[in-house]
Amino acid sequence: MKIVTLVGSLRKDSLNRNIAKALLALAPKSLDLKLIEIGNLPLFNDDLDGDHAPEAWTHFRKQIQACDGVLFVTPEYNRSVPGCLKNAIDVGSRPYGKSVWSGKPAAIISASPGATGGFGANHHLRQSLVFLDMPTMQQPEAYLGHAGDLLGPDGTLTNEKTRAFLINFIDSYAFWVAKLRDNNA
Ligand code: FNR
């Protein structure tokens, strides 16, 4: 199953990006996780859409259309979803009636150096996914607090409990996506 991974941070040394990278290695064989960049997407503007939409939008929409699910790994900005990720969501949701998100099973991991693990962003994102008709895995939830302490200086995952937690998370997601697929077959 092809799973697109979207990271809500554009930073090179992003904690969330490094957690997403760790997940690529921890995912079971049934999942083909691919990290897709969203920093190149022009800000959504309805005036630019239609037959002459920016190439980056069209390419992004095709990548989402072709996938079997979407994994979001995001920080929290001002208790909400970072603008780059919200922009990607908006781009994929248009033109009206042609959203590429509909029906794609999603899962969310939020991570923050703070104690609350991006809970606000995680749940604001869930609100958008309800509207976009993306079934979203309920359990396990993933709010990774003090995320700076979970990774080494080179950005690799060093915390064994977190590794075990992430393996369980991504295995649960794989199981759930396959179940949804089989139910819809
Ligand atoms: C933050 N940060 C932050 N952290 C948090 O737990 N709750 C919040 O509401 C915010 N708000 C916020 C706003 C803005 C504009 C920035 C730049 C940062 C801190 C944030 O969690 C921290 O910078 C993370 O390291 C960002 O994630 P990445 O880039 O490391 O993945």
Side-chain angles (χ1 to χ4, degrees):
M1 296 174 288
K2 285 185 188 157
I3 305 298
V4 162
T5 304
L6 300 179
V7 174
S9 170
L10 307 181
R11 250 165 34 85
K12 181 168 55 70
D13 296 327
S14 155
L15 298 168
N16 285 273
R17 179 174 297 271
N18 285 332
I19 287 163
K21 281 188 195 161
L23 275 166
L24 301 184
L26 300 177
K29 284 200 165 51
S30 62
L31 292 191
D32 175 13
L33 254 58
K34 192 175 172 198
L35 220 154
I36 286 185
E37 296 302 329
I38 57 174
N40 62 331
L41 297 172
L43 282 181
F44 183 74
N45 174 349
D46 221 0
D47 294 344
L48 305 180
D49 216 351
D51 292 343
H52 303 290
E55 170 53 28
W57 290 2
T58 308
H59 183 59
F60 179 72
R61 287 166 176 164
K62 281 185 185 154
Q63 286 177 300
I64 302 297
Q65 226 150 17
C67 80
D68 299 302
V70 184
L71 175 65
F72 295 92
V73 185
T74 188
E76 173 176 275
Y77 279 6
N78 301 308
R79 296 285 181 258
S80 188
V81 179
C84 62
L85 182 55
K86 184 59 167 56
N87 183 53
I89 288 169
D90 295 342
V91 166
S93 72
R94 294 282 155 151
Y96 183 77
K98 292 187 178 170
S99 168
V100 292
W101 303 113
S102 299
K104 305 284 181 193
I108 304 172
I109 295 171
S110 54
S112 165
T116 53
F119 177 87
N122 192 308
H123 280 259
H124 274 187
L125 182 53
R126 281 173 196 273
Q127 183 170 321
S128 291
L129 303 192
V130 168
F131 179 68
L132 295 168
D133 197 18
M134 298 177 78
T136 303
M137 186 169 76
Q138 305 292 311
Q139 294 289 340
E141 298 161 276
Y143 317 104
L144 303 181
H146 306 295
D149 302 340
L150 309 175
L151 304 163
D154 60 353
T156 56
L157 194 60
T158 49
N159 186 292
E160 286 311 313
K161 273 190 180 168
T162 306
R163 183 188 307 277
F165 173 81
L166 288 176
I167 289 173
N168 179 50
F169 182 93
I170 200 69
D171 281 352
S172 302
Y173 180 58
F175 177 78
W176 178 71
V177 175
K179 201 165 111 182
L180 279 183
R181 184 196 54 190
D182 295 345
N183 287 348
N184 292 331

Coordinates of all heavy atoms in Angstrom, one line a residue, residues 7-11 13-18 74-80 111-119, ligand 1:
V7 N 5.0 16.1 6.1 CA 5.6 16.7 7.3 C 5.2 18.2 7.4 O 5.4 18.9 6.4 CB 7.1 16.5 7.3 CG1 7.8 17.2 8.5 CG2 7.5 15.0 7.3
G8 N 4.7 18.6 8.5 CA 4.3 20.0 8.7 C 5.4 21.0 9.1 O 5.1 22.0 9.7
S9 N 6.6 20.6 8.7 CA 7.7 21.6 9.0 C 8.6 21.6 7.8 O 8.9 20.5 7.2 CB 8.5 21.1 10.2 OG 9.7 21.8 10.3
L10 N 9.1 22.8 7.4 CA 10.0 22.9 6.3 C 11.5 22.9 6.7 O 12.4 22.9 5.9 CB 9.7 24.2 5.5 CG 8.2 24.3 5.1 CD1 8.0 25.6 4.3 CD2 7.8 23.1 4.3
R11 N 11.7 22.9 8.0 CA 13.1 22.9 8.6 C 13.9 21.7 8.2 O 13.4 20.6 8.4 CB 13.0 23.0 10.1 CG 13.4 24.3 10.7 CD 12.9 24.4 12.1 NE 12.9 23.3 13.0 CZ 13.9 22.8 13.7 NH1 15.1 23.4 13.6 NH2 13.8 21.8 14.5
D13 N 16.4 20.5 9.9 CA 16.7 19.7 11.1 C 15.4 19.4 11.9 O 15.4 19.2 13.1 CB 17.7 20.3 12.0 CG 19.1 20.4 11.3 OD1 19.4 19.5 10.5 OD2 19.8 21.4 11.5
S14 N 14.3 19.5 11.3 CA 13.0 19.4 11.9 C 12.9 18.1 12.7 O 13.2 17.0 12.2 CB 11.9 19.4 10.9 OG 10.7 18.7 11.3
L15 N 12.4 18.2 13.9 CA 12.2 17.0 14.8 C 11.1 16.1 14.1 O 11.3 14.9 14.0 CB 11.6 17.4 16.1 CG 12.6 18.3 17.0 CD1 11.8 18.8 18.2 CD2 13.8 17.4 17.5
N16 N 10.1 16.7 13.5 CA 9.0 16.0 12.9 C 9.5 15.2 11.6 O 9.1 14.1 11.4 CB 7.8 16.9 12.6 CG 7.1 17.2 13.9 OD1 6.2 16.5 14.3 ND2 7.4 18.3 14.5
R17 N 10.3 15.9 10.9 CA 10.9 15.3 9.7 C 11.8 14.1 10.1 O 11.7 13.1 9.5 CB 11.8 16.4 8.9 CG 12.4 15.8 7.7 CD 13.1 17.0 7.0 NE 12.1 18.0 6.5 CZ 11.5 17.9 5.4 NH1 11.8 17.0 4.5 NH2 10.6 18.9 5.1
N18 N 12.5 14.2 11.1 CA 13.4 13.1 11.6 C 12.5 12.0 12.1 O 12.9 10.8 11.9 CB 14.4 13.6 12.6 CG 15.5 14.4 12.0 OD1 15.8 14.2 10.8 ND2 16.1 15.3 12.7
T74 N 3.5 16.2 12.2 CA 3.4 17.6 12.3 C 3.8 18.3 13.6 O 3.4 17.7 14.7 CB 2.1 18.2 11.8 OG1 2.1 19.6 11.7 CG2 0.9 17.8 12.8
P75 N 4.4 19.4 13.6 CA 4.5 20.2 14.8 C 3.3 21.0 15.0 O 2.4 21.0 14.2 CB 5.7 21.1 14.5 CG 5.8 21.3 13.1 CD 5.2 20.0 12.5
E76 N 3.3 21.7 16.1 CA 2.1 22.6 16.4 C 2.7 24.1 16.4 O 3.7 24.3 16.9 CB 1.7 22.3 17.9 CG 0.6 23.3 18.4 CD 0.2 22.8 19.8 OE1 -0.7 22.0 19.9 OE2 0.8 23.3 20.8
Y77 N 2.0 24.9 15.6 CA 2.3 26.3 15.6 C 1.2 27.1 16.2 O 0.0 27.0 15.7 CB 2.5 26.8 14.1 CG 3.9 26.5 13.5 CD1 4.9 25.7 14.2 CD2 4.2 27.0 12.3 CE1 6.1 25.5 13.6 CE2 5.5 26.7 11.7 CZ 6.4 26.0 12.4 OH 7.6 25.7 11.8
N78 N 1.4 27.8 17.3 CA 0.4 28.6 17.9 C -0.9 27.8 18.1 O -2.0 28.2 17.8 CB 0.2 29.9 17.1 CG 1.5 30.7 17.0 OD1 2.1 30.9 18.0 ND2 1.9 31.0 15.8
R79 N -0.6 26.6 18.7 CA -1.7 25.7 19.0 C -2.6 25.2 17.9 O -3.7 24.8 18.0 CB -2.7 26.4 20.1 CG -2.0 26.7 21.4 CD -1.8 25.4 22.2 NE -1.2 25.7 23.5 CZ 0.1 25.5 23.8 NH1 0.9 25.0 22.9 NH2 0.6 25.7 25.0
S80 N -2.0 25.3 16.7 CA -2.7 24.8 15.5 C -1.8 24.2 14.5 O -0.6 23.9 14.7 CB -3.5 26.0 14.9 OG -4.4 25.5 13.9
A111 N 4.5 16.1 17.1 CA 5.7 16.1 18.0 C 6.1 17.6 18.3 O 6.0 18.4 17.4 CB 6.8 15.4 17.4
S112 N 6.5 17.8 19.5 CA 6.9 19.1 20.0 C 8.0 19.0 21.1 O 8.0 18.0 21.8 CB 5.7 19.8 20.5 OG 6.1 20.9 21.3
P113 N 8.9 19.9 21.1 CA 9.8 19.9 22.3 C 9.1 20.2 23.6 O 9.6 20.0 24.7 CB 10.8 21.1 22.0 CG 10.4 21.7 20.7 CD 9.1 21.0 20.2
G114 N 7.9 20.8 23.5 CA 7.1 21.1 24.7 C 6.4 19.8 25.2 O 6.5 18.7 24.6
A115 N 5.7 20.0 26.4 CA 5.2 18.9 27.1 C 3.9 18.3 26.4 O 3.6 17.1 26.6 CB 4.9 19.3 28.5
T116 N 3.2 19.1 25.7 CA 1.9 18.7 25.2 C 1.9 17.9 23.9 O 0.9 17.5 23.4 CB 0.9 19.8 25.2 OG1 1.4 20.9 24.4 CG2 0.6 20.4 26.6
G117 N 3.1 17.8 23.3 CA 3.2 16.9 22.1 C 2.4 17.4 20.9 O 2.0 16.5 20.1
G118 N 2.1 18.6 20.8 CA 1.4 19.1 19.6 C -0.1 18.7 19.6 O -0.7 18.6 18.5
F119 N -0.6 18.5 20.8 CA -2.0 18.0 20.9 C -3.0 19.0 20.1 O -3.9 18.5 19.4 CB -2.5 18.0 22.3 CG -3.9 17.6 22.6 CD1 -4.3 16.3 22.7 CD2 -4.9 18.6 22.7 CE1 -5.6 16.0 22.9 CE2 -6.2 18.3 22.9 CZ -6.6 17.0 23.0
Ligands
FNR1 C1 6.2 27.0 17.7 N1 6.4 26.0 18.7 C2 5.3 25.6 19.4 N2 5.3 24.4 20.2 C3 4.2 24.0 20.8 O1 4.3 22.9 21.5 N3 3.0 24.6 20.7 C4 2.9 25.8 19.9 O2 1.8 26.3 19.9 C5 4.1 26.3 19.3 N4 4.0 27.4 18.5 C6 5.0 27.7 17.6 C7 4.8 28.7 16.7 C8 5.8 28.9 15.8 C9 5.6 30.0 14.7 C10 7.1 28.2 15.8 C11 8.2 28.5 14.8 C12 7.3 27.3 16.8 C13 7.7 25.4 18.9 C14 7.8 24.2 18.0 O3 7.2 23.1 18.5 C15 9.3 23.9 17.7 O4 9.9 24.9 17.0 C16 9.4 22.6 16.9 O5 10.8 22.2 16.9 C17 8.9 22.7 15.5 O6 8.9 21.4 14.9 P1 10.0 20.9 14.0 O7 10.4 22.0 12.9 O8 11.3 20.7 14.8 O9 9.5 19.7 13.3

